[in-house]
């Protein structure tokens, strides 16, 4: 963002979300949007995290619970599939891990500095006790 | 565009392109943004939004950033509702005069406010909007406390909750008055649609929001928003606490159509004791002592009575 002096302000105090022409935002996916510099999408809250969620594709059933309950739009879902996590905007709250219904969980919290490959290698195996009670709706 | 978006299941819903952006400054695990996403994603139409002062407003519009990919305005603590009502009145006027540039687009008018802005400070303004009958939706993000300014009690704070202006201690057990029944008040305005929703029951919530968009006239939505900071629970438990609230019937999910006809939209399979809901939160910790324990029984009795009343109203459909 361009630095403004003490008396500088956007004209009309209007903060624009987008710079270019956008026809229909409701159907334009985030990666195709012409974000303006005043959209918070261009900022990051990654330094809020102490623990980060990591995603193991192997166990994921694409139920999308993590997508609907993520407060920070950080679960990336494309074509009804869970694709990954947006680590620029994830605050590390851990809701996605709590709502994950698979056994073992396909999302787990790890310390921020943890290497992803190492985490995937030590992923817990399926528990013997059948406790796979999938939550309704 | 004016056709209602079809959302059959969560997989289908997940193809929605969010119009609310990350890197807002809401606490990790805040239910506000879960609710906002479920509201905004319920439609593909254009949105004209307003927010009253509160957590949602201060956290999503920190200069030089905005988190809203839609027209959004903030004026004061009390008038999120009137800001949207004004825009709606202008839209209607321009439409009547045939001066709209794109008359085929049917924008939805939504105002967001916290429980402070709804139950206390903005009450008169909301009442005015409903009396004038604007075609708008008002969503109250009800976290039962003034969370933005440090946890003062509001008239939504329930009995026994410890807030910074009603602290629990040797002398007091916290808030002494019961929560205001905002649902009944808004229904009494004769609003075409009034509903209570919770973010953990997303399907119920999206269905209600869409009904609200379809209704002609002012719509009031009371959304339970579990507050990790002021209710004092771990950020990852937001959905679990919301489940406790809906399953213990502390937040029953129901709708009131045309001010009279009441429908219960969610009946828990196993009703859990209110004690479990209270025990999960730090703000009720002091109730679990010998001299305060009677309050938990009072809570349970009150919730049972309320549930009984709702069921009878549904049965009688009055």
């Amino acid at each position: 963002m361009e630095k403004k002096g003490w008396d500088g302000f956007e004209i009309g105090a209007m903060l624009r979300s987008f710079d270019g022409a956008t026809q229909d935002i409701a159907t334009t996916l985030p990666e195709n949007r012409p974000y303006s510099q005043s959209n918070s999408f261009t900022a990051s809250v990654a330094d809020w995290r102490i623990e980060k969620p990591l995603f193991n594709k192997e166990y994921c059933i694409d139920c999308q619970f993590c997508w609907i309950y993520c407060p920070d739009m950080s679960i990336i879902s494309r074509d009804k599939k869970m694709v990954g996590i947006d680590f620029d905007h994830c605050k590390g709250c851990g809701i996605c891990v709590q709502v994950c219904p698979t056994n073992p969980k396909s999302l787990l919290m790890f310390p921020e500095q943890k290497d992803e490959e190492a985490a995937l290698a030590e992923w817990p195996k399926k528990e013997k006790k059948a406790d796979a009670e999938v939550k309704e709706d | 565009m004016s056709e209602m978006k079809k959302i059959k299941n969560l997989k289908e819903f997940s193809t929605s392109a969010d119009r609310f952006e990350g890197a807002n400054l809401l606490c990790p695990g805040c239910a506000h943004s879960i609710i906002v996403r479920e509201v905004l994603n319920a439609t593909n139409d254009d949105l004209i939004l307003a927010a009253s002062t509160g957590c949602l407003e201060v956290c999503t519009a920190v200069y030089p950033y905005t988190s809203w990919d839609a027209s959004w305005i903030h004026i004061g603590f009390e008038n999120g509702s009137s800001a949207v009502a004004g825009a709606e009145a202008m839209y209607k006027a321009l439409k009547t005069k045939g001066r709209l540039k794109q008359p085929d687009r049917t924008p939805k008018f939504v105002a967001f406010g916290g429980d402070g802005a709804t139950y206390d400070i903005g009450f008169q303004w909301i009442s005015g909007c409903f009396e004038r009958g604007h075609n708008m939706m008002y969503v109250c993000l009800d976290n039962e406390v003034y969370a933005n300014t440090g946890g003062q009690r509001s008239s939504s704070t329930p009995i026994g909750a410890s807030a910074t202006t009603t602290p629990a201690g040797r002398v007091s057990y916290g808030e002494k008055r019961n929560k205001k029944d905002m649902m009944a008040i808004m229904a009494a305005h004769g609003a075409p649609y009034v509903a209570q929703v919770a973010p953990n029951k997303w399907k119920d919530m999206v269905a209600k929001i869409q009904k609200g968009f379809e209704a002609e006239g002012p719509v009031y939505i009371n959304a339970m928003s579990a507050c990790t900071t002021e209710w004092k629970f771990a950020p990852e438990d937001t959905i679990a606490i919301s489940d406790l609230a809906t399953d213990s019937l502390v937040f029953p999910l129901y709708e009131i159509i045309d001010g009279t006809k009441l429908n219960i939209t969610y009946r828990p399979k196993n009703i859990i004791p209110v004690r479990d809901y209270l025990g999960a939160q730090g703000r009720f910790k002091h109730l679990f002592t010998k001299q305060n324990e009677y309050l938990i029984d009072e809570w349970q009795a009150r919730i049972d009575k309320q549930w009984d009343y709702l069921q009878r109203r549904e049965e009688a459909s009055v």
Side-chain angles (χ1 to χ4, degrees):
Chain A
M1 190 85 195
E2 186 194 335
K3 275 254 159 53
K4 288 197 164 66
W6 65 272
D7 53 350
F9 208 71
E10 293 274 330
I11 295 167
M14 182 189 276
L15 300 178
R16 290 182 301 270
S17 287
F18 306 110
D19 269 343
T22 40
Q23 281 297 310
D24 187 3
I25 282 303
T27 55
T28 309
L29 289 170
E31 55 266 31
N32 301 325
R33 293 178 184 173
Y35 285 106
S36 90
Q37 283 183 319
S38 54
N39 191 308
S40 71
F41 185 83
T42 59
S44 171
V45 286
D47 53 348
W48 288 28
R49 275 197 311 271
I50 299 163
E51 285 188 317
K52 61 178 175 183
L54 285 177
F55 171 53
N56 190 335
K57 209 167 180 45
E58 209 180 314
Y59 300 111
C60 182
I61 54 168
D62 295 312
C63 66
Q64 306 295 349
F65 284 171
C66 51
W67 175 83
I68 185 83
Y69 295 131
C70 176
D72 292 296
M73 291 58 75
S74 297
I75 302 292
I76 307 168
S77 278
R78 295 292 176 266
D79 299 325
K80 304 182 182 179
K81 294 256 183 300
M82 155 77 171
V83 182
I85 296 156
D86 173 358
F87 284 113
D88 281 339
H89 302 119
C90 172
K91 293 168 186 163
C93 66
I95 289 180
C96 51
V97 175
Q98 289 287 317
V99 298
C100 184
T102 61
N103 178 21
K105 284 184 186 293
S106 37
L107 281 156
L108 283 175
M109 298 303 276
F110 286 95
E112 182 62 26
Q113 71 280 3
K114 184 87 180 179
D115 180 56
E116 189 170 352
E117 273 178 37
L120 288 176
E122 60 181 68
W123 208 271
K125 293 280 173 280
K126 185 173 176 170
E127 287 168 43
K128 276 257 166 68
K129 205 176 139 212
D131 192 23
E133 189 187 293
V134 178
K135 213 176 113 186
E136 290 292 318
D137 68 40
Chain B
M1 280 292 267
S2 58
E3 207 169 285
M4 201 50 69
K5 182 172 171 179
K6 288 193 179 66
I7 300 159
K8 272 196 229 127
N9 53 39
L10 195 46
K11 280 196 184 193
E12 209 167 287
F13 196 32
S14 76
T15 56
S16 312
D18 276 304
R19 278 183 278 181
F20 185 66
E21 293 296 353
N24 53 57
L25 302 186
L26 292 161
C27 303
C30 179
H32 274 20
S33 47
I34 306 178
I35 296 165
V36 169
R37 289 183 61 210
E38 288 176 14
V39 172
L40 302 197
N41 284 335
T43 180
N44 273 344
D45 281 343
D46 298 311
L47 288 162
I48 293 168
L49 310 168
S52 300
T53 307
C55 287
L56 184 70
E57 177 266 322
V58 297
C59 294
T60 57
V62 185
Y63 187 77
Y65 295 116
T66 173
S67 299
W68 302 87
D69 296 340
S71 310
W72 182 87
I73 187 172
H74 159 68
I75 302 174
F77 209 139
E78 66 289 340
N79 51 16
S81 51
S82 354
V84 148
E88 191 267 347
M90 189 185 76
Y91 173 80
K92 250 188 212 161
L94 290 177
K95 198 174 184 181
T96 323
K97 290 178 183 169
R99 277 168 56 192
L100 281 180
K101 290 216 170 104
Q102 294 165 299
D104 53 322
R105 299 180 89 156
T106 49
K108 302 281 183 277
F109 297 87
V110 185
F112 289 100
D115 59 285
T118 309
Y119 285 63
D120 303 338
I121 297 173
F123 184 69
Q124 178 196 328
W125 281 257
I126 298 164
S127 186
C129 290
F130 276 61
E131 185 260 318
R132 292 190 298 271
H134 293 284
N135 189 16
M136 58 175 273
M137 177 184 283
Y138 189 91
V139 181
C140 169
L141 305 160
D142 186 3
N143 57 10
E144 303 189 324
V145 76
Y146 283 89
N148 177 37
T149 46
Q152 292 83 1
R153 57 84 60 185
S154 75
S155 53
S156 169
T157 310
I159 289 185
S162 179
T164 50
T165 47
T166 55
R170 250 181 311 129
V171 182
S172 167
Y173 57 76
E175 171 66 29
K176 295 232 164 26
R177 278 166 290 272
N178 201 6
K179 184 175 166 139
K180 198 195 255 182
D181 189 356
M182 197 66 182
M183 289 284 289
I185 296 169
M186 298 325 285
H189 282 75
Y193 194 70
V194 172
Q196 183 146 278
V197 300
N200 54 320
K201 303 291 170 207
W202 71 269
K203 206 167 186 177
D204 174 73
M205 175 150 171
V206 168
K208 281 174 178 166
I209 299 292
Q210 293 197 331
K211 261 191 204 176
F213 282 145
E214 265 174 10
E216 192 69 30
V219 170
Y220 179 77
I221 303 284
N222 202 55
M224 179 201 48
S225 181
C227 177
T228 154
T229 309
E230 297 301 341
W231 295 17
K232 299 187 174 66
F233 58 84
E236 67 266 28
D237 292 335
T238 305
I239 297 301
I241 296 282
S242 306
D243 281 340
L244 285 175
T246 49
D247 288 358
S248 65
L249 299 171
V250 173
F251 275 90
L253 303 183
Y254 61 102
E255 56 185 15
I256 305 172
I257 298 161
D258 291 328
T260 50
K261 192 172 171 0
L262 189 145
N263 296 325
I264 296 170
T265 55
Y266 171 70
R267 288 168 195 279
K269 276 183 202 143
N270 301 311
I271 298 174
I272 57 164
V274 175
R275 175 179 279 269
D276 294 1
Y277 168 73
L278 301 177
Q281 303 167 49
R283 62 174 176 158
F284 293 118
K285 197 174 66 186
H286 56 281
L287 296 187
F288 292 82
T289 55
K290 219 169 188 180
Q291 79 262 27
N292 286 336
E293 207 141 36
Y294 71 98
L295 281 164
I296 300 176
D297 299 331
E298 278 185 22
W299 256 90
Q300 185 67 57
R302 195 173 58 254
I303 299 298
D304 288 347
K305 203 173 149 195
Q306 179 196 340
W307 182 238
D308 191 45
Y309 169 74
L310 291 176
Q311 282 180 312
R312 282 205 211 170
R313 278 239 359 224
E314 187 188 36
E315 217 174 294
S317 91
V318 286

